[in-house]
Amino acid sequence: MDCRRRNSFSILLMILGFLSVYRVHSLRFDLESGHTKCIAEDIKTNSMTVGKYHIVNPSEGHPLPDSHKVTVRVTSSYGNSYHYADHVNSGQFAFQASESGDYMACFFAADNKPAVTMTIDFDWKSGVAAKEWSNVAKKGSVEMMELELKKMYETVQSIHDEMFYLREREEEMQELNRSTNSKMAWLSFLSLLFCSMVAGLQLMHLKTFFEKKKLI
């Protein structure tokens, strides 16, 4: 029985660990001068989010070329700006989302002659994954077990909030479906009514035509 409990607890820890890092975007991409690259992240209200970015040096041991600069802007789906940096080769941002929806991190490289291609390393975390637990442990002198419990509590709280967020989105989609179905029903009724009227007018026209030709 104890073995089963330990196995269940281990599986739960694995699931929670997977969910706690599920809002992590760590990627490396190429950006050509004169072009823009945007990355989206769905973030709910009051969630913490942090991001770091830097241009990878194409020649280790040498200074980064002057042409390797980017302009970075982070905006919400409502167009509000949360971070802006112009002509930089690295930077970071951190904020607590005041709006739910898709947030866009856009990287723009100014046009250069000749054209250059830069490699950008971008790390974006939100929710539980955005919290620097190592700093929390150092500052608070918390024991490892207490730290793990805090992480688990924050993860469960995040999952709880995410479930309510998804439920709200589901209700919005259901309301949209109901509204769409109602409009389609009215459109179908009006189309059927219009077709019936056209068919009636055609029958009246044919009847008048045949009467004039004395065919009926």
Side-chain angles (χ1 to χ4, degrees):
M1 187 68 178
D2 292 338
C3 184
R4 290 181 180 178
R5 287 181 178 177
R6 283 197 298 270
N7 290 337
S8 300
F9 185 70
S10 300
I11 295 173
L12 178 61
L13 284 179
M14 291 174 62
I15 295 173
L16 291 177
F18 171 77
L19 290 173
S20 67
V21 297
Y22 128 104
R23 284 300 181 90
V24 178
H25 282 177
S26 182
L27 67 158
R28 180 173 288 191
F29 58 90
D30 292 334
L31 179 63
E32 188 178 349
S33 56
H35 290 76
T36 300
K37 173 78 173 182
C38 290
I39 298 164
E41 169 78 344
D42 185 19
I43 304 175
K44 63 180 182 294
T45 307
N46 297 326
S47 289
M48 188 66 187
T49 182
V50 295
K52 296 180 181 179
Y53 55 87
H54 71 272
I55 299 175
V56 179
N57 195 336
S59 303
E60 289 292 336
H62 294 82
L64 195 66
D66 292 336
S67 59
H68 284 49
K69 302 287 184 180
V70 292
T71 297
V72 185
R73 184 186 294 273
V74 180
T75 57
S76 69
S77 56
Y78 297 94
N80 296 322
S81 180
Y82 286 83
H83 173 73
Y84 178 77
D86 185 30
H87 206 62
V88 297
N89 51 40
S90 64
Q92 59 185 10
F93 58 85
F95 59 87
Q96 188 172 12
S98 59
E99 306 160 315
S100 293
D102 288 332
Y103 284 71
M104 300 286 291
C106 293
F107 298 80
F108 169 72
D111 200 7
N112 284 291
K113 300 296 181 182
V116 297
T117 299
M118 293 168 281
T119 300
I120 300 175
D121 193 272
F122 183 39
D123 184 40
W124 195 358
K125 301 176 183 178
S126 62
V128 178
K131 295 194 174 183
E132 296 291 342
W133 291 106
S134 58
N135 293 338
V136 173
K138 291 177 182 177
K139 292 178 182 179
S141 300
V142 234
E143 295 295 334
M144 186 57 68
M145 182 60 71
E146 292 176 333
L147 178 61
E148 291 299 323
L149 289 174
K150 283 179 67 68
K151 290 170 68 174
M152 289 178 62
Y153 173 78
E154 292 286 345
T155 302
V156 172
Q157 187 67 36
S158 176
I159 296 172
H160 180 265
D161 295 340
E162 186 73 18
M163 290 175 62
F164 275 95
Y165 173 67
L166 292 175
R167 184 178 298 174
E168 291 176 359
R169 294 290 293 269
E170 182 183 2
E171 291 176 355
E172 291 175 1
M173 292 300 298
Q174 289 179 351
E175 183 62 29
L176 179 61
N177 288 336
R178 284 193 291 266
S179 176
T180 303
N181 291 336
S182 177
K183 291 177 181 177
M184 289 299 297
W186 275 105
L187 182 61
S188 300
F189 173 75
L190 291 175
S191 299
L192 181 61
L193 182 62
F194 178 77
C195 291
S196 300
M197 291 175 61
V198 171
L201 290 174
Q202 288 179 338
L203 287 175
M204 291 178 61
H205 175 73
L206 289 174
K207 182 179 179 181
T208 304
F209 175 77
F210 288 141
E211 286 178 349
K212 286 183 178 180
K213 296 295 184 179
K214 298 181 179 180
L215 296 177
I216 56 174

